[in-house]
Amino acid sequence: MRLLLLLLASLLLACPGTQATDDDDATVSDDDDSGDDDDSSIGDDDDATGDDDDATKSCNDVDQDGVCLEEGDCDDNDPDLFPGNTEDCTDGDDQDCDALADCADSDCAAATVCQTEDCENGVDDNDDTLVDCDDPDCTAVTICMTDFTVTLVDDAGDVGKNCAIALSSTDVPHLSYMEDDGDGDLKYATRPAATWATETVDDGIFAGTSSSIQIGSDDHPRIAYDQFGAAWYGVWDGANWTLTEASPFGGEDVSLALSFDEPSILHHDGDLLMLVAQTGTTWGSNDNITGSATASTEHFGELRFDPDFIPHIGFVNTNFYRARYGWNDTTGWQFEDVSTLDIIGGVSFALEPFGPPHMVYGTLLTDEIRYAVRTGTNAWTQQTIASNTGAFKELSMQLDSAGNPHVAWSSAGTAQVHYTWFDGATWTTQAIDDVGSQGGNPCLALDAADNPHLAYYDADTGSLKFASWIP
């Protein structure tokens, strides 16, 4: 039996192509040469999965985010921080390891939370639930540092220059101003309730380049204004405006005052200050009140009546750059200088009911705003109330019930609207709003409680704004 088995084994070994060892060797040899199977699949798995990273990397990736410190990972203990990751913009972490976190990273420029808060539009621009001045982003903005509440009156076009203001018996504000649409329409605004109502009074050529507003005994507004070189007068009856020409001889720098509801308008025709008054429905002839007396150029006049209805005026002599004061006594118009040379811009003039006249004006060489009060014939006490204000000052002054002056002003140098007041002992100034170097033109009124209200032109937005003091 054993002999038989040996014989069969001998025969099998002698048959060609049937050796198991030879087949195995050939198979392995073919696979190794081609790399189609085992070797290639092992290599592919390593590259794709990174199973052998620790074996092939020269550094240790502690947080297993695919990048180690030596390769730019800014925190190898946090798998959410590595180069190429998406920036979160809200959590204070630098997800993409570019040394910039949240809104400081340019990747977050379009994110809502990274938008700049517009401090005047009533919208939560950066989605932090805080609107306008309630947002910490607005802390350093002038309009959010003031004790005034500022509202938008009109932004329909380029509007708000050359404003005038008056308050009704119930302290409802009434404004006249210009829409600078190329030919200067005269506009009017009032706020009897929570919202402003605006309308065009006169769309004639250059209407509104100068205006002055007063409230009649019926609590309805009256407006004097310039319309293409003529002085015009508008009366609101509660439903419509009635417009009449008061004088064809110049309507620049108009100033309106009422005497038992009958209007008088101070204006100038080129170089001459003129006064025209209405009796009943008839306008009288123009009284040339300064031209022949001074033979010089007079501008920026303001008219006030005392309790005896004697007219008083403050104005600028632009030939000699002086502020001047005039009044009409029983012998005619009398004049005296308030300032010496160096005045620039306009003046504002106020009259105590049974007291002296007051005036504010700006200077050029000394770059100041000065306040003056008359203490006797040709005698005025002067004080500097603001310095380093820049060129061309625009001023509006009112007196409170104690006779103390309150002044709204702007200048090209500050590009802001300011409010300055005297409490009987100290002068105080507060910035109200940034309005651009061409903005300002403030107009001021005091309510029955002596609280200030003012309107002004914001050149940055081409709009009319209104500021009310917060007691």
Side-chain angles (χ1 to χ4, degrees):
M1 184 65 181
R2 180 179 298 176
L3 182 62
L4 179 61
L5 292 174
L6 291 174
L7 179 61
L8 288 173
S10 176
L11 290 173
L12 288 172
L13 290 173
C15 293
T18 62
Q19 295 182 14
T21 301
D22 290 346
D23 286 345
D24 288 345
D25 290 343
T27 302
V28 172
S29 175
D30 289 344
D31 288 344
D32 287 346
D33 290 344
S34 65
D36 288 341
D37 296 324
D38 291 345
D39 290 345
S40 63
S41 64
I42 291 174
D44 290 345
D45 287 344
D46 285 348
D47 292 342
T49 64
D51 288 342
D52 66 343
D53 279 352
D54 290 339
T56 60
K57 275 185 177 293
S58 61
C59 57
N60 182 23
D61 183 9
V62 176
D63 58 10
Q64 296 295 303
D65 58 10
V67 186
C68 55
L69 288 174
E70 292 82 354
E71 295 173 325
D73 195 330
C74 51
D75 187 344
D76 209 20
N77 293 309
D78 189 334
D80 292 326
L81 308 183
F82 57 88
N85 197 12
T86 301
E87 189 71 19
D88 183 276
C89 304
T90 62
D91 63 355
D93 290 332
D94 178 19
Q95 274 80 19
D96 58 4
C97 288
D98 63 354
L100 299 170
D102 296 350
C103 296
D105 194 316
S106 60
D107 294 345
C108 297
T112 301
V113 296
C114 297
Q115 302 311 301
T116 301
E117 182 73 12
D118 184 331
C119 303
E120 302 179 47
N121 65 354
V123 175
D124 179 16
D125 302 283
N126 56 8
D127 202 26
D128 62 356
T129 73
L130 300 172
V131 178
D132 294 352
C133 293
D134 291 331
D135 193 310
D137 293 350
C138 298
T139 301
V141 176
T142 301
I143 199 172
C144 298
M145 299 170 65
T146 180
D147 289 321
F148 285 80
T149 297
V150 178
T151 58
L152 178 67
V153 178
D154 190 354
D155 63 352
D158 189 4
V159 293
K161 296 177 182 176
N162 308 324
C163 77
I165 184 173
L167 302 180
S168 72
S169 62
T170 56
D171 289 330
V172 172
H174 300 259
L175 310 174
S176 61
Y177 57 99
M178 182 177 73
E179 178 183 0
D180 194 3
D181 60 353
D183 59 4
D185 296 348
L186 174 68
K187 296 196 73 175
Y188 163 76
T190 187
R191 188 179 62 181
T195 59
W196 287 93
T198 67
E199 64 177 300
T200 298
V201 177
D202 192 334
D203 61 0
I205 299 175
F206 299 122
T209 53
S210 173
S211 69
S212 179
I213 189 168
Q214 296 290 338
I215 305 299
S217 60
D218 56 4
D219 255 0
H220 291 157
R222 280 89 162 133
I223 302 176
Y225 62 99
D226 177 20
Q227 208 252 63
F228 200 47
W232 280 70
Y233 180 63
V235 178
W236 175 254
D237 62 9
N240 299 290
W241 288 96
T242 299
L243 310 178
T244 59
E245 184 181 68
S247 171
F249 304 112
E252 297 179 59
D253 301 330
V254 295
S255 180
L256 172 66
L258 300 178
S259 172
F260 297 105
D261 282 345
E262 291 187 333
S264 294
I265 301 175
L266 181 70
H267 60 106
H268 80 79
D269 178 19
D271 296 339
L272 309 176
L273 267 185
M274 311 187 81
L275 183 64
V276 62
Q278 185 185 56
T279 302
T281 59
T282 303
W283 288 96
S285 60
N286 285 275
D287 182 6
N288 177 2
I289 60 178
T290 62
S292 59
T294 60
S296 60
T297 304
E298 319 292 352
H299 289 272
F300 308 115
E302 292 194 352
L303 172 66
R304 305 287 183 263
F305 283 121
D306 66 22
D308 296 323
F309 297 103
I310 293 175
H312 300 249
I313 62 173
F315 61 98
V316 176
N317 177 307
T318 55
N319 272 10
F320 300 101
Y321 299 99
R322 296 174 294 178
R324 306 201 78 205
Y325 163 62
W327 70 101
N328 191 355
D329 63 14
T330 56
T331 63
W333 282 96
Q334 309 296 319
F335 302 97
E336 62 185 44
D337 289 338
V338 179
S339 73
T340 56
L341 305 181
D342 190 29
I343 193 169
I344 186 170
V347 300
S348 189
F349 175 71
L351 189 67
E352 289 187 55
F354 295 98
H358 303 244
M359 190 178 295
V360 289
Y361 60 92
T363 66
L364 176 61
L365 298 179
T366 57
D367 193 14
E368 297 171 334
I369 295 176
R370 291 180 182 168
Y371 162 75
V373 58
R374 191 172 188 252
T375 55
T377 303
N378 288 307
W380 294 76
T381 297
Q382 311 268 347
Q383 296 182 64
T384 297
I385 65 174
S387 302
N388 302 316
T389 56
F392 201 87
K393 290 77 170 169
E394 295 166 319
L395 309 159
S396 179
M397 178 174 63
Q398 296 291 327
L399 303 178
D400 63 25
S401 56
N404 294 321
H406 299 246
V407 183
W409 59 274
S410 64
S411 69
T414 64
Q416 293 179 325
V417 170
H418 293 82
Y419 168 61
T420 298
W421 74 99
F422 186 65
D423 62 7
T426 305
W427 287 96
T428 304
T429 295
Q430 186 173 112
I432 297 175
D433 198 359
D434 300 305
V435 295
S437 61
Q438 302 301 310
N441 306 125
C443 50
L444 172 70
L446 303 180
D447 63 25
D450 288 334
N451 295 314
H453 306 265
L454 60 131
Y456 57 92
Y457 170 65
D458 187 339
D460 289 336
T461 59
S463 61
L464 177 67
K465 292 180 176 179
F466 184 77
S468 292
W469 179 265
I470 305 171

